[in-house]
Amino acid sequence: MTNGGPVEHGYPHLDTVRAAITALYKRLSYDTIHTFDTSVAPADVAFCDTDDLHLGAQRVARELVRHFRLPDARMIVSFREMEHAANVELAAGPEYFIELNDRFRTHRRDIGAALAHEVMHVYLHRLDLSFPGTRDNEILTDTATTYLGAGWLLLDAYREDSASSQKLGYLTPEEFGYVLAKRSLVLGEDPAIWFTSPQAYTAYTKGMARARHDERQPPLTAAGWAGRRRYAKDRRHAQEHAVGAPPADAPYAFTPDSHGPLRVSFPCPTCHQRIRVPVRGRVRARCGLCRTVLECDT
């Protein structure tokens, strides 16, 4: 939790975020992910100053449990002084104890955001899905919370001006925007109408631009002129020098095939699973993980 300090921006965790999206598709499947096509509604997690603190927190926690389809999980919410925004005790269940930072006693509008992250910890714990290391596992949790329909709360909790700042979660605002954009492009739901923070809306638009950029990388036919020209140069080099390595920042890689033409592999712009297709001009590929149909010019 950032409270008054500098807020990190940009995409420093992008590789881990993409790996988290791939892991979600592998663990949950295309069909399960599409059951989360409707996000948590603002009215369902609204919290005003006249609400009883503990009863209100329990109500919001129950709504998030319902959203993530954990009907046999009960969240017991308490408040105490602590460094982080929140903490959950991952026991066997069915009861889970969540502690929220005392700051939320007077910043109640953001209780839903803090609880969404902690309830997702329980969800992933039950799925037995985790990444090694605290940092990467927290990034997985933020990404899963966002991709499955509750992370817009975390981004909306981001506020920053010349005098103060606040941000919840481990992702940067732009990374939250990127995951929200990925979700929006797949499920057709636009979260922009729910933002109360203008900084959150700006981060979402930047994230959308980055997500759209993924769809314009060669060998996809939507790639721009510069990308296509560079791809053609790297392909020619691979054909003339028995493959060889493309530049380190290229999203694609060429590999030989003893039973056919040269092949190129590249990440699916939806789930980031790598796809491998023959180098033979126009090719239509279908990602086996997220079922996205891709028009390629290899």
Side-chain angles (χ1 to χ4, degrees), residues 40 42-65 75-79 98 100 104-105 107-116 119 153:
V40 173
D44 292 335
V45 291
F47 205 121
C48 67
D49 291 339
T50 58
D51 289 340
D52 179 272
L53 178 64
H54 292 88
L55 292 178
Q58 294 293 153
R59 172 183 57 79
V60 173
R62 284 195 300 270
E63 178 58 33
L64 291 164
V65 165
M75 306 295 157
I76 312 300
V77 183
S78 62
F79 296 80
I98 297 177
L100 297 182
F104 292 112
R105 291 178 181 272
H107 291 74
R108 299 184 180 189
R109 63 184 287 191
D110 298 322
I111 283 178
L115 287 174
V119 174
L153 292 163

Side-chain angles (χ1 to χ4, degrees), residues 228-243:
R228 297 294 314 153
R229 183 177 181 183
R230 179 186 180 188
Y231 176 82
K233 177 183 176 182
D234 292 337
R235 179 181 59 197
R236 186 166 56 250
H237 183 275
Q239 291 168 331
E240 294 174 353
H241 297 84
V243 184

Side-chain angles (χ1 to χ4, degrees), residues 78-159:
S78 62
F79 296 80
R80 71 173 177 89
E81 291 186 7
M82 56 196 301
E83 178 183 356
H84 299 292
N87 181 64
V88 62
E89 180 182 328
L90 293 175
E95 290 187 340
Y96 298 87
F97 294 90
I98 297 177
E99 296 175 317
L100 297 182
N101 192 301
D102 261 343
R103 185 174 190 271
F104 292 112
R105 291 178 181 272
T106 54
H107 291 74
R108 299 184 180 189
R109 63 184 287 191
D110 298 322
I111 283 178
L115 287 174
H117 179 95
E118 302 309 316
V119 174
M120 178 51 66
H121 269 302
V122 174
Y123 183 83
L124 295 176
H125 175 69
R126 290 191 170 193
L127 282 179
D128 195 25
L129 177 59
S130 63
F131 280 180
T134 299
R135 169 190 170 275
D136 286 0
N137 202 53
E138 293 291 351
I139 291 170
L140 168 64
T141 304
D142 275 345
T143 302
T145 306
T146 305
Y147 207 83
L148 298 183
W152 70 267
L153 292 163
L154 284 160
L155 180 53
D156 197 41
Y158 162 56
R159 292 179 284 278

Side-chain angles (χ1 to χ4, degrees), residues 156-179:
D156 197 41
Y158 162 56
R159 292 179 284 278
E160 186 175 18
D161 55 38
S162 59
S164 63
S165 63
Q166 174 185 281
K167 186 187 78 68
L168 301 182
Y170 284 70
L171 300 186
T172 68
E174 293 77 15
E175 287 168 341
F176 273 120
Y178 174 81
V179 181

